[in-house]
C-alpha cells in the first residue's frame, strides 16, 4: 500500500521528463511522423510551458476545491496523457498530450 500510494504517483509524475528524451530516436525513426528538429525540441519544453500556463488555475483551484481531489484529478489526467502520448501517431496529438501533461502538474 505504501509503495502504491507513495512511489507509483511519483513515477507517473516524473516519467514524462525522461520519456521524451529517451524516445526521440524512436520518434525520428517513425517516417509517418516526420518531426522537424524544432518540433522535437518543442516536445521537451511543452511540459514546463504547460505547468507555467496552468499555475494560476491550480492556485485558484486549491482555494476552492479540496487538495486531495485535485491531486487525484491531476494524477489521473497526467497518467492518461502519458499513455496517450505513447500510443498516438499524430504530431498534433502528441504535442497536445505533452502540453496537457504539464498542465496537469501545474
Amino acid at each position: 500500500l505504501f509503495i502504491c500510494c507513495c512511489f507509483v504517483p511519483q513515477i507517473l509524475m516524473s516519467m514524462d521528463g525522461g520519456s521524451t528524451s529517451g524516445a526521440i530516436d524512436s520518434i525520428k525513426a517513425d517516417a509517418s511522423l516526420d518531426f522537424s528538429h524544432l518540433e522535437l525540441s518543442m516536445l521537451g519544453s511543452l511540459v514546463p510551458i504547460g505547468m507555467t500556463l496552468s499555475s494560476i488555475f491550480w492556485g485558484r483551484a486549491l482555494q476552492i476545491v479540496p487538495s486531495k481531489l485535485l491531486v487525484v484529478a491531476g494524477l489521473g489526467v497526467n497518467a492518461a496523457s502519458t499513455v496517450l502520448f505513447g500510443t498516438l501517431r499524430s504530431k498534433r496529438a502528441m504535442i497536445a498530450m505533452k502540453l496537457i501533461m504539464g498542465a496537469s502538474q501545474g
Side-chain angles (χ1 to χ4, degrees), residues 9 14-15 19 21 26 38 45-46 58-59 62 69 77 83 87 102 105:
S14 300
M15 183 179 168
S19 65
S21 58
S26 299
L38 176 66
S45 64
L46 281 173
W58 283 104
L62 281 168
L69 182 63
V77 170
V83 168
T87 57
Q105 296 176 22

Side-chain angles (χ1 to χ4, degrees), residues 7-105:
F7 292 121
V8 172
Q10 183 62 38
I11 289 169
L12 289 174
M13 295 290 278
S14 300
M15 183 179 168
D16 60 356
S19 65
T20 303
S21 58
I24 291 292
D25 291 334
S26 299
I27 293 171
K28 277 194 241 181
D30 190 348
S32 66
L33 291 174
D34 193 34
F35 273 97
S36 68
H37 290 291
L38 176 66
E39 291 168 331
L40 285 172
S41 61
M42 207 169 68
L43 280 180
S45 64
L46 281 173
V47 172
I49 290 171
M51 290 171 72
T52 303
L53 294 175
S54 68
S55 62
I56 294 172
F57 162 77
W58 283 104
R60 184 67 179 144
L62 281 168
Q63 295 174 348
I64 299 170
V65 182
S67 59
K68 289 181 183 179
L69 182 63
L70 284 178
V71 169
V72 169
L75 280 172
V77 170
N78 192 358
S81 60
T82 301
V83 168
L84 286 173
F85 175 78
T87 57
L88 292 173
R89 290 292 164 236
S90 163
K91 285 177 18 174
R92 288 184 182 176
M94 291 173 79
I95 288 171
M97 289 304 109
K98 291 302 274 188
L99 193 62
I100 292 170
M101 278 184 214
S104 70
Q105 296 176 22

